[in-house]
Structure formats: C-alpha cells, structure tokens
Amino acid sequence: MAARPNTINSSGGVSLTGVRFRYPRGFELNIPAMEIAGGEQVLLAGPSGSGKSTLLHLIAGLEEPTQGEIHIAGTNIFQLRAGARDIFRGRHIGMIFQTFNLLQGFSALENVMLALMLAGYASHDQRARALAALDRLGINEPDARVEALSVGQQQRVAVARAVAGEPCVVLADEPTASLDPANATTSIALIQEAARNSGAALIVTSHDPSLRSAFTRVIEVAA
Amino acid sequence: MNDMIIVIRSLSARRLTSAVTIGMVMVAVALLLVLLSLREAAAQAFRRGTGNVHLLVSADASPLVAVLNGLFYANAPANPIAWSKYNEIRESFPWQWAIPTQLGDSFRGSPVMATDAAFLRDFVPVVGSPFAWEVGGAFEREFEVVAGAQAARAHGLHIGQKIVLNHGTSGSREGGHEHADHPYTVVGILKPTGSAHDRALFTNLESSWIIHAEDRRESEAGAGEEDHEHAHEHEHDHEHVAAADLTDADKLITGILLRLPTRPGSDASASIAPQMDRLRRDTSITVAQPAQQIGRLMAIVGDVDWLFLAMAIVVLVSSAISILLAMISAMELRRRQVAVLRVLGASAWRVFALAITESTLIGLVGALLGVALAVVGCELASALLARRIGMVIAGAIDGRSASMVVAGAVILAALAGVLPAVKSYRTPVARHLRPLA
C-alpha cells in the first residue's frame, strides 16, 4: 500500500491551547485547553448554538481563532499560510457532515478519488485506494451517481471519503442529526469503526444525549 | 481524477445551461467566421467576373449599374446602343478588341448574351483562365447557343439539344414571351469559371437581331392592321427575316467591352484614363472601368458588412455575458461545491482556477463547434448565393482568421469566468457547509 504523502506525526492527536473565537454577534467560544490523543474518540456535546460546529471548524482550520493555538499531529495549523493550511487539511483531516456534502454529479468512487487527489495521492493510487475504502464500508456500486444512492449509502460514501486518505483526525459534525435513534446508533458505530481502522482520532459533535454511551470521553461545549 | 474531470462534472451537472451557453458561443463564432470568409470570397468573386475588360460602354444610368448589368447579369440594360455607335467607337482607337454585347433574352431564368465570336475567344472571364470547353465549341452560325457551366447543369443541357429562348429576363416586364419560331441548338458547354458568366448562355448577335426584327415587324404590321380595321388579319404571321435583311434599326446592342493594347505580360495600360475621358464626352453613353466600379461596390458593401461583423462581435460578447450569467446563477450550487472542495484540501486559488477553466472550456468547445458550423455554413451560403445570384462565392474558412476568432472567444470566455472565480475564491467555507434550510 502506498504511504500517505508527507505524513507528519500519524500517531499525533489534536491539541488546543488558549483558543478564543469571537462571533460577529459578540458571543465568544473559549477553550482554555483541550488534548485529544491520536486514535482517541471524543464526543463534543452541548445544546444547539453552543459552538460545537465552530470548534470543529477551528480544528479543521476553516475558521481562524481570535487567539490561541491549535496543533494537529504536532503542527500549529495557524502558523501555516492559508494555501498550506488547505493542503494540510486535505492530507491530515477527514470531515463528515450531517448532510454528507457529497459532490452531486460525481459517482461514489469519484467523490472518494477526489478527496484522495486533494490529499496528494498519485493518480495511480487513487482508484485502488478509493475502491478499497468503499468496499470496506459496503458500497458495491462505486460507479453509481451519489444522488442515486440511498441516504444510508450516501453516508457510507461520506465516511469512506473522510477515512480513505488515512487522516490523523476525523471530524464528524452532527452526523446523526437527521437519523432516527436506531439508525443513529448504527451510523455512529460505522464512523467509529472506520476511524479506528484508519488509526485516526475521532471528534464527533452531537446534541443527542443518547450518543454519550458510545464514547468513553465526552467534552461539554458551552459558548 | 484530475481538475479537468471536476470541471466537466460541474458542467454536466448543469447540462442544459452549459449546452445553451456553448451553443451561443458556437453561433457567434460561426457567424463571425462565415461573414469574414464570405466577405473576402465575395470581393474575389466580383474581381474575378470583370476579367480582362478595361472599359465597358453601355446606355445604363450609371457606371456601376452598367458593370452589374453588363458583366454580372443583374438585369437587362434598359436602353440600347445603335450599331453605328459601336462602329464609331470601335474605329475611334486601335483597341486590342471591342466586343459588342446584347442582353435581354433569357432561357428559364438564365440570361442570354448575344455577342460575337471574339467574346468566347478573346474575353478572359478570370484573369489567366480563358474560357475552356467542357464539350462542343463556339457558335458559328445563327441560332446556335453555348451554355455556361452552371446554366448547363441547372437546365440539364446537352449538345444538340433544341431550346427556345424567352424575350426578357426573369422578373422583367417582357419576361415570358417565347421566341418559339426560332429554336436554338446547343453547340457547346463551357467549363466552370467561378464567375457570373457560368450561369449565362451565349449566342451570336445576328440570331438575336433576327428574332427581335421579326417581333418588331410583326408588331408594326399588327398596328397597321388595326388601322385598316383588320383587313388583312394574320396575313403577316411568321414573316421571316434573314441576316441580309437586317437594317441598322434592327442592329441594337446593349454594351461594348473594350480592351486597350497592353505590353505582353501586363494587364495595365496607360491609355485607359485618357480613353475613358474621351468616351465620356459622349453623353449618349455611359463608360465604366469595371475594376474601379467593383472597388466602389466593395467599399459600399464593406460598410454594410462591417455592420454585420459588428453585430457578430456583439453576439460573441453577449455569449460571454451569458457564460457569466450562467455561472453566477449556478453560484449557490457552486458555493457548496467550492466549500466541499476547500474542506477536502483545495486552496482558494485552485477553486479560482477551476472556475476560470470552466468558463474557458465553454468558450473553447463553443468556438471549435463554431468553426465546424462555419465550414458547413460557408458551403450552404455558397450554394445559396450561387443559386440566387449565380456567382460562385466559395467562402473557405481561413486558418488564421479561425485561430484568431477561436482565441478571441476563449479569451472572452475566460474573462467572463473571472467574476464567478472571484466569488468562488471568496466563498466563506464554514457557512456553505451547513445543511440547507
């Protein structure tokens, strides 16, 4: 199997120090310190509007903190220039969304291959690696357009896309918010297993208290 | 997977809009190329038709009309020139040749020129390419006719075929009256020259004078009978006239083609202007220098076709605007796509480049299809013009023009993509990752 390009500290997790983020309307998210070890699985809990998603976006480098430092696998991501931070995100962070955010018009395979391309995998590695990831997650129609797949299959494609590049950390933003309790449990187990298999730390946000039992560590977030 | 696949998938996700914008670019490019090509081809076709004539004499109202009627068969000249005037002009200067022509009759809409043997022998319709025979040869006696290539093809003429001419040209007031008493025999068919002469038929002057003399005498006799209360009704039917019976009143022509002596290998003569000035003192005739008149015509037409070119450029610019609008209207979909690409690791510059590539690809595909359409369009336009005006205006897409128009379309399309690209670049990622309301 081809090595992940430009791997930094694959066992490294996520570290936040003195992070503050001020919203335009004046609220402030304050995270004095947070350590998530490599391979650890954490639930960020809290009511809607508490800042869980913002915290995830800060860790992904999509939002810039007002102050503080965020290290991913040992790299202070906000010391990187914007372009370098984008490339870092593609290579070391996988993201899963409530509505999956798959690219319409692309097949399941292409959605995963695209993530691998942006993660820096050579074109000859992309197809095999994407097919393997989809196969592990039970997608047996990789060439089907994503809009033709069921909701459950779409979520599996989204998970495959997040983990196929073997990231250091997988961020899942309210991945079960639109599912019924039975499917939510199955879904979170799928994500946890995929992250575990790829050796990535997993940070999940959810306002659903029933998910707490699935995680050994729960961090309460309050703005 | 590569960036081009992302662009193609993005376009195919908006199939209808993409097809319409590509179609607009295609039509604009094709229009521009066809106009550019036909403009040059038309100028060449007109230059070709004047051949090696230095001066044209007629009784038309203006020199330009004289040239269009006398050499391009636009209409039958309205006023005749007397044979004595021809002799006077012919003897007034040592011309290389002075060819009399008479237009006015037609065969199924194709003009018939009555002239003398020198026309087919000495007149060169396209400089460097004299008339050549597909089959048969020149007329030698009365009621023999030679057909231009297109006329022969259009009417399915063959050697030995008998045809009946009509008095007047198609669309003229006299059109329709047949010279049924004097069928003509086809004795020769010319090879194509690419000039207006291809759609004409040629016969000798005596034939034309005879049938018109008979017509006139019949009509004069008819008037006389009316005066005598129809006393000798039909007595003068079919009064035949022989060449020897022709009087000066019968010998009317409508044009004289003149060529001055030139040095071997040269088409120019220093005497053209002085001879033209001398002839123009005679107010009963119009003297034209065909090459000069065609230059004037092209200058007039040039103003009009610049207008068409300007319109085609406007269409091209509006197609670029439609690319811009199509991309802007798809911005909400694009913003989500951009946000996902950014999450997956695409830099802001990369999504900027993707948007520019998308608009450029629309321009390139549209422009290439436009070139293909222009090739077909030129063929159709040439065929249509050949059928309508009988001139071979064979527009061919010039590689240099095509390259310039394609490059222009692509640059315009790329510029049209700048605004959507800037919007893509500035897309706030986190906001567009949220579930749609």
Side-chain angles (χ1 to χ4, degrees):
Chain A
M1 184 160 48
R4 183 171 57 212
N6 211 14
T7 300
I8 41 166
N9 177 4
S10 59
S11 61
V14 178
S15 166
L16 283 76
T17 311
V19 171
R20 285 172 179 271
F21 179 80
R22 186 178 292 277
Y23 291 94
R25 282 173 293 178
F27 300 112
E28 191 175 70
L29 178 68
N30 186 7
I31 310 288
M34 182 189 287
E35 291 286 339
I36 296 163
E40 189 180 6
Q41 301 196 338
V42 176
L43 177 70
L44 299 180
S48 294
S50 59
K52 302 185 296 297
S53 293
T54 302
L55 180 52
L56 228 51
H57 290 158
L58 287 166
I59 294 169
L62 297 171
E63 300 272 19
E64 200 156 343
T66 319
Q67 66 180 71
E69 290 182 359
I70 298 175
H71 290 79
I72 308 284
T75 299
N76 182 348
I77 58 170
F78 289 102
Q79 272 189 343
L80 299 173
R81 294 167 73 101
R85 193 158 63 239
D86 291 325
I87 293 169
F88 182 90
R89 181 169 54 249
R91 288 180 176 172
H92 304 294
I93 300 172
M95 285 194 85
I96 301 165
F97 305 91
Q98 178 186 335
T99 50
F100 319 133
N101 281 331
L102 296 172
L103 291 172
Q104 304 295 300
F106 288 65
S107 69
L109 179 64
E110 286 170 339
N111 264 276
V112 181
M113 285 175 68
L114 178 63
L116 290 170
M117 178 188 84
L118 293 170
Y121 282 89
S123 54
H124 59 271
D125 276 345
Q126 292 167 16
R127 188 177 177 82
R129 185 171 279 270
L131 282 170
L134 288 166
D135 186 54
R136 278 197 299 275
L137 284 150
I139 298 295
N140 47 24
E141 286 183 279
D143 293 321
R145 292 278 173 102
V146 289
E147 51 271 35
L149 299 175
S150 68
V151 173
Q153 285 176 314
Q154 287 187 29
Q155 189 180 43
R156 285 168 186 269
V157 175
V159 174
R161 185 177 68 180
V163 300
E166 295 180 9
C168 301
V169 57
V170 173
L171 308 173
D173 191 10
E174 299 280 1
T176 61
S178 53
L179 302 177
D180 58 61
N183 279 319
T185 307
T186 311
S187 170
I188 208 70
L190 178 81
I191 294 170
Q192 285 180 308
E193 188 190 351
R196 198 175 299 120
N197 289 342
S198 68
L202 173 66
I203 305 173
V204 177
T205 68
S206 179
H207 63 274
D208 179 1
S210 70
L211 292 184
R212 287 169 179 262
S213 58
F215 291 86
T216 52
R217 186 177 170 199
V218 176
I219 300 172
E220 295 292 341
V221 180
Chain B
M1 178 59 61
N2 55 51
D3 285 9
M4 192 50 81
I5 292 176
I6 301 174
V7 168
I8 290 168
R9 287 285 183 276
S10 170
L11 285 173
S12 62
R14 292 174 283 114
R15 222 167 269 142
L16 183 63
T17 315
S18 304
V20 169
T21 36
I22 285 172
M24 279 195 73
V25 177
M26 176 182 77
V27 169
V29 165
L31 197 60
L32 203 54
L33 284 175
V34 168
L35 283 171
L36 281 172
S37 135
L38 289 185
R39 189 165 147 256
E40 181 51 32
Q44 277 185 6
F46 274 107
R47 277 183 222 118
R48 249 197 323 256
T50 58
N52 61 344
V53 173
H54 283 150
L55 295 172
L56 171 79
V57 174
S58 88
D60 279 309
S62 77
L64 180 56
V65 172
V67 171
L68 292 177
N69 287 347
L71 289 169
F72 295 95
Y73 308 96
N75 279 303
N79 303 311
I81 299 172
W83 188 244
S84 55
K85 178 64 73 180
Y86 165 71
N87 284 326
E88 179 192 321
I89 291 171
R90 182 169 56 85
E91 286 159 13
S92 68
F93 185 79
W95 310 102
Q96 188 174 329
W97 41 256
I99 301 173
T101 63
Q102 186 211 60
L103 288 160
D105 288 344
S106 63
F107 174 65
R108 295 182 193 162
S110 296
V112 175
M113 176 189 272
T115 181
D116 67 17
F119 181 80
L120 294 172
R121 187 186 63 230
D122 298 333
F123 172 70
V124 176
V126 178
V127 175
S129 302
F131 283 121
W133 298 99
E134 188 70 55
V135 61
F139 47 79
E140 288 176 350
R141 55 186 70 86
E142 282 88 52
F143 305 110
E144 289 183 343
V145 69
V146 164
Q150 196 196 333
R153 194 173 58 245
H155 307 305
L157 300 179
H158 54 84
I159 299 296
Q161 187 176 346
K162 301 279 186 192
I163 62 171
V164 174
L165 305 188
N166 273 45
H167 186 57
T169 53
S170 59
S172 71
R173 280 175 300 179
E174 303 91 339
H177 165 63
E178 283 192 342
H179 297 304
D181 289 349
H182 291 290
Y184 283 66
T185 305
V186 178
V187 295
I189 293 172
L190 293 162
K191 283 190 170 169
T193 64
S195 70
H197 305 293
D198 287 353
R199 68 183 179 104
L201 292 92
F202 307 95
T203 185
N204 71 358
L205 281 166
E206 286 75 13
S207 309
S208 180
W209 286 338
I210 286 169
I211 54 177
H212 291 111
E214 287 180 3
D215 279 354
R216 196 172 62 252
R217 282 167 207 187
E218 233 175 83
S219 130
E220 283 168 5
E225 281 165 0
E226 273 180 27
D227 291 346
H228 294 92
E229 296 176 352
H230 309 284
H232 306 288
E233 202 167 35
H234 304 305
E235 197 176 305
H236 298 286
D237 269 4
H238 309 301
E239 183 188 333
H240 286 287
V241 175
D245 303 328
L246 294 167
T247 64
D248 275 359
D250 297 320
K251 293 180 179 178
L252 296 175
I253 58 173
T254 57
I256 306 168
L257 307 179
L258 298 168
R259 181 170 172 84
L260 287 85
T262 56
R263 279 178 297 208
S266 167
D267 192 52
S269 167
S271 305
I272 294 176
Q275 287 309 313
M276 189 166 169
D277 286 344
R278 181 180 65 80
L279 291 170
R280 283 167 69 178
R281 285 187 209 119
D282 183 343
T283 54
S284 69
I285 56 172
T286 297
V287 186
Q289 199 176 332
Q292 193 182 62
Q293 293 305 316
I294 292 307
R296 274 189 58 205
L297 176 67
M298 296 323 293
I300 295 166
V301 174
D303 288 344
V304 177
D305 67 27
W306 273 115
L307 189 67
F308 280 114
L309 279 179
M311 283 166 63
I313 289 167
V314 167
V315 175
L316 193 59
V317 171
S318 64
S319 70
I321 292 170
S322 79
I323 293 175
L324 170 68
L325 293 176
M327 290 181 72
I328 293 281
S329 71
M331 208 59 217
E332 206 42 55
L333 178 70
R334 178 185 300 282
R335 280 201 171 112
R336 182 159 284 267
Q337 188 189 63
V338 165
V340 174
L341 289 171
R342 295 290 311 280
V343 163
L344 295 178
S347 66
W349 279 112
R350 194 163 186 169
V351 296
F352 179 92
L354 286 170
I356 294 284
T357 307
E358 189 175 317
S359 65
T360 306
L361 189 63
I362 290 174
L364 181 65
V365 172
L368 293 178
L369 289 173
V371 172
L373 183 64
V375 171
V376 177
C378 272
E379 290 293 322
L380 290 176
S382 297
L384 188 70
L385 288 170
R387 203 168 64 236
R388 285 293 184 89
I389 64 170
M391 285 183 66
V392 179
I393 298 177
I397 303 299
D398 160 48
R400 190 164 161 268
S401 306
S403 309
M404 285 174 67
V405 171
V406 168
V410 169
I411 289 168
L412 271 177
L415 289 174
V418 169
L419 183 60
V422 168
K423 283 177 173 286
S424 295
Y425 180 90
R426 289 183 175 168
T427 294
V429 179
R431 191 198 303 169
H432 290 282
L433 291 171
R434 291 182 194 131
L436 293 169

